[in-house]
Every structure is written in C-alpha cells, then in structure tokens.
Amino acid sequence: MPVDNAPAATRKIASFVLSAEPERWTSAGLRDLPKGLLLDAQVRASAPVWLHIVAETGMAGFLETGASLVSTGMALAPGVSAVVPEAGDYFLIIDNRDGDRPSEAQVTISTTEPGQVDPSDWLQIANNTLAQVAKALGTVFRIDSPDLRVEPVGSLAPFREAEDAIGAEFSRHILEHTTAATASPLMILAIFRHLGPRLLALSPGPAPEDESFPAALMVMLGYRSQCEAALDYLGTPELSDRLVAPLPWSPFPTVDMAIDWKRRLAGGGLLSDWESRYLGALRDDMLTRLQHTPPEWLAPAALEREIAGRTPKA
C-alpha cells in the first residue's frame, strides 16, 4: 500500500482494510518512506490484534523474535507513532496470532514530512509513543508497565526524580538540537538507561560496573538501527557536547563509551555480555517464544539454563 509522499509539509492520510484469520498475521507494504518521516497508524479492529511496523530489512528478525520498529499490545484499537529511522520500505502488520476469531481491521495512516514536525506537537507525539513502549515492556519483562510519560519538570532534567516522567523541556531540547530521525533513538536510549537497573534487579548477579546494558537492551528488543544511530551521534564529540552540556545530568553515555559500545556491538561482544541478564528479566511466555524462534544472537544453552532455573524441582 503506497503512502503518498508528495513534497508538501501537510499531513496525508491513507486508509484501507486488512483482515487476519485466527493464529495468522497479514501486512500492507509502506513503500519508499524517507528517513525522518513521522508515521502515525491507527487501527479499529473487530477483534483484538497486535499492530507492528517492521522494516523490510527486519522481517527475518520479526518472524524470529517479534522485533519491530514499534509494536502495540493486543487491543481493539491499537495505534502507534514512530519516526522512520532509515529510508526504505516498511510493512504494517496486523497480528492475530494470539486471536481465536477472525479480525477485520480498518487502518488509517497519517504522515508528516521529515523536518516538519512542529515542536508544539512533540509532547503529544512523545506521549503516544511512550504509552505503546510502556505497554510493550510490560508484556515482555517481569515488571508492571512503567508509567512512561512526558510532562514539564521546570528544568532540562531528563527525568523527574524517582519517577518515570520524562522532562518535556529535555524532550524539546533533544528535538531542537537534532532531527526527528535522531531524536527518537536518543529518547529510546535514555529511557532504557533509566529502566535498566529495574530490569537488572530481576536476574541474579552483582551490580555490573559496565554500563552498556541499555544499548544491548535496545538491540535485543529489535531497535538495532536506532541504537546505532544514537551511538553514532553520541560518539561524535561536537554533537554530543552540544546536546549534553546544558543538561543538569546526562542519561547518555560519554563519547568514549558510545564509541566503545558501537565497537562491541559490531563485534558481537556487547550482546553476549548481557545475554543472561536479559533472559532473567523476561516473562515466562517470552522465554517460550524465544525457545520456538530463537534470534541469531541467542545461545541456546543460555536459554535452556534460564528455563531450567525457573522450572520447579520435583
């Protein structure tokens, strides 16, 4: 399903219907999306479904692990907003694999051209995205869905102290100093760094000195291209300094850390270093899914150890 990308800043809408049988998924192609495009998809379904946006290059990962650019929980009216990280073809997927009856979904897609996201719209865009991220985290990990939201905090502090409230001033600062395509990966990295200690506490082991878990977490959850984009930006001294210098404290890695994490990610060591801690934080049903469709980075023995450790002794 082509999306109209005529060179105008106004929002455009495509509308169509997709049907998915029980235990099946169906998709529509979104062709030639430019980098930085804001993509908003809203669905009204006759039976609850999952909604995913997946890059064509990421379809193999989606089929193995469910990794996507963005996903919702199972609902009658799921919706997502996401910034396209790389130019190319994408798929909108109506996922009825957990359903027990057919679902007919009315899909409405709106787009905003790269560079045309009004800063005044950023709060609503961010909160829509965060609501879906929080819901997804609660279905993947052994935690309650965090109350992720963007609201004014009176300073450039990234988060309100001891809360999951992300500073609106911080969010706008990122948008004003980067681009929409870069701002989204940076926000995701900041959120995962904020949530990292909570997830690490779910699996045994001493507090690690290495701080790279948020980057590994992004990749393991299917945000590899976003992670690389964030690390590329933060690994460039002049860009990182301009972004971080005004902040009272930084949720981002230093320049040296960003370069090191990117190097370890390219070599495969970053994921293997955090494999067991990631598995320890997952819900039982997610472990079962990984058992059926293990991703390439996952060592089968590590998954077997985690499942065995949770199996009650006779």
mmCIF file of all heavy atoms in Angstrom, residues 308 311-314:
data_model
loop_
_atom_site.group_PDB
_atom_site.id
_atom_site.type_symbol
_atom_site.label_atom_id
_atom_site.label_comp_id
_atom_site.label_asym_id
_atom_site.label_seq_id
_atom_site.Cartn_x
_atom_site.Cartn_y
_atom_site.Cartn_z
ATOM 1 N N ALA A 308 15.443 -23.827 32.756
ATOM 2 C CA ALA A 308 15.644 -24.852 33.785
ATOM 3 C C ALA A 308 15.636 -24.243 35.184
ATOM 4 O O ALA A 308 15.126 -24.832 36.137
ATOM 5 C CB ALA A 308 16.952 -25.600 33.528
ATOM 6 N N THR A 311 12.092 -23.803 36.347
ATOM 7 C CA THR A 311 11.261 -24.995 36.429
ATOM 8 C C THR A 311 11.271 -25.540 37.847
ATOM 9 O O THR A 311 12.356 -25.800 38.401
ATOM 10 C CB THR A 311 11.772 -26.089 35.462
ATOM 11 O OG1 THR A 311 11.797 -25.552 34.140
ATOM 12 C CG2 THR A 311 10.873 -27.309 35.526
ATOM 13 N N PRO A 312 10.100 -25.687 38.482
ATOM 14 C CA PRO A 312 10.072 -26.193 39.870
ATOM 15 C C PRO A 312 10.710 -27.578 39.958
ATOM 16 O O PRO A 312 10.518 -28.436 39.100
ATOM 17 C CB PRO A 312 8.573 -26.263 40.192
ATOM 18 C CG PRO A 312 7.931 -25.332 39.213
ATOM 19 C CD PRO A 312 8.769 -25.401 37.962
ATOM 20 N N LYS A 313 11.505 -27.769 40.985
ATOM 21 C CA LYS A 313 12.129 -29.057 41.228
ATOM 22 C C LYS A 313 11.103 -30.071 41.727
ATOM 23 O O LYS A 313 10.234 -29.737 42.530
ATOM 24 C CB LYS A 313 13.276 -28.924 42.259
ATOM 25 C CG LYS A 313 14.370 -27.945 41.823
ATOM 26 C CD LYS A 313 15.130 -28.468 40.622
ATOM 27 C CE LYS A 313 16.343 -27.589 40.329
ATOM 28 N NZ LYS A 313 15.979 -26.236 39.875
ATOM 29 N N ALA A 314 11.189 -31.294 41.215
ATOM 30 C CA ALA A 314 10.241 -32.358 41.618
ATOM 31 C C ALA A 314 10.446 -32.735 43.066
ATOM 32 O O ALA A 314 11.556 -32.728 43.574
ATOM 33 C CB ALA A 314 10.409 -33.564 40.722
#
